[in-house]
Amino acid sequence: MATGNGSPVQSKDDLGYGDARQAILEATGREIATKGPRGVVLSEICQRLELSPALVNYHFGGRDGLLAEAVLFEHRRLVQAMNDLTLSITTSGEDQFRERFKYRFDWTRANPGFDSMLNHTHLIDPSGDVMNTRLQTEIGAVTTLDMQGITTSIAGMYHGTVLNELITDSHPLWHPEFADITAFVGLAAIGAATFVTGNHPGSTPLAMQFPAILASLQESFVDRLVDSIRCQFDRIT
């Protein structure tokens, strides 16, 4: 609701400032996950939460700001989950790597709306105004954490050990070649996850008609990626 001067106030459920903001953010995220940005109807979300639509402008500056922050919030949760999983595996660096990408494929399959927005920034920021603010920096920071998680498993594969902490270029087991390998892996995996899970226009019919083929492609992709990484290790001096 709003006061007579137009200032937003708490809902009748007495949600606090941060609680109302978080409730809108998470509810929007649930809609984006399966429906994509076009399926998000803010009036319906606010009605379900019994919150004034004015709170969207108050907390996020409008629809575009809310959608962008919802994607950032979910991206951060995804990367944190993948990093936690990576560090929880103690068998080998390769096992860390494989389980990380299995998680990414499963997440992409379950969250097609978020996947499309992460891969196409014009869907996050159609006006071109949002990404030039602090969100650009925050998305970059989350992406850096993602790359550190990948590098950690790659370093374990290279050294034949298991690392239980994210590594950076100051870590004693770091090698400069890891940066290029990680970038290659990150780019390849994003595209493959989108295609193999049927979130790409060209692969959607395949996912519907031949799900077993795409499932085998997922396993084949990771196998080939591991082989490629090990070939690149041979060039490290």
Side-chain angles (χ1 to χ4, degrees), residues 16-165:
Y17 175 92
D19 294 331
R21 187 182 192 283
Q22 190 67 20
I24 295 171
L25 193 64
E26 293 189 358
T28 301
R30 287 191 292 271
E31 295 292 294
I32 293 174
T34 56
K35 299 178 182 178
R38 294 180 181 176
V40 175
V41 181
L42 297 184
S43 60
E44 294 179 358
I45 291 174
C46 290
Q47 184 177 23
R48 287 199 301 271
L49 296 175
E50 299 185 316
L51 294 171
S52 168
L55 287 171
V56 173
N57 289 331
Y58 183 69
H59 287 296
F60 305 100
R63 176 187 173 87
D64 289 354
L66 170 57
L67 296 184
E69 289 219 31
V71 173
L72 171 61
F73 178 74
E74 186 62 26
H75 189 202
R76 186 183 293 114
R77 292 208 301 185
L78 166 65
V79 171
Q80 185 63 58
M82 290 192 296
N83 284 350
D84 288 346
L85 175 63
T86 297
L87 298 180
S88 72
I89 295 173
T90 59
T91 49
S92 70
E94 182 174 326
D95 286 345
Q96 288 181 329
F97 184 89
R98 289 180 177 279
E99 288 302 313
R100 183 184 188 90
F101 282 100
K102 180 180 184 302
Y103 189 100
R104 179 60 189 257
F105 275 86
D106 290 344
W107 179 90
T108 301
R109 188 175 288 106
N111 296 274
F114 275 121
D115 178 66
S116 66
M117 295 182 76
L118 284 172
N119 283 302
H120 303 284
T121 56
H122 68 280
L123 295 176
I124 300 177
D125 185 20
S127 68
D129 297 329
V130 178
M131 295 296 288
N132 292 324
T133 64
R134 63 179 178 81
L135 290 184
Q136 183 71 65
T137 300
E138 292 188 31
I139 289 174
V142 175
T143 301
T144 297
L145 286 174
D146 189 10
M147 296 299 100
Q148 288 176 353
I150 296 172
T151 303
T152 297
S153 62
I154 290 173
M157 291 168 62
Y158 178 74
H159 291 288
T161 187
V162 180
L163 299 173
N164 60 4
E165 61 180 350

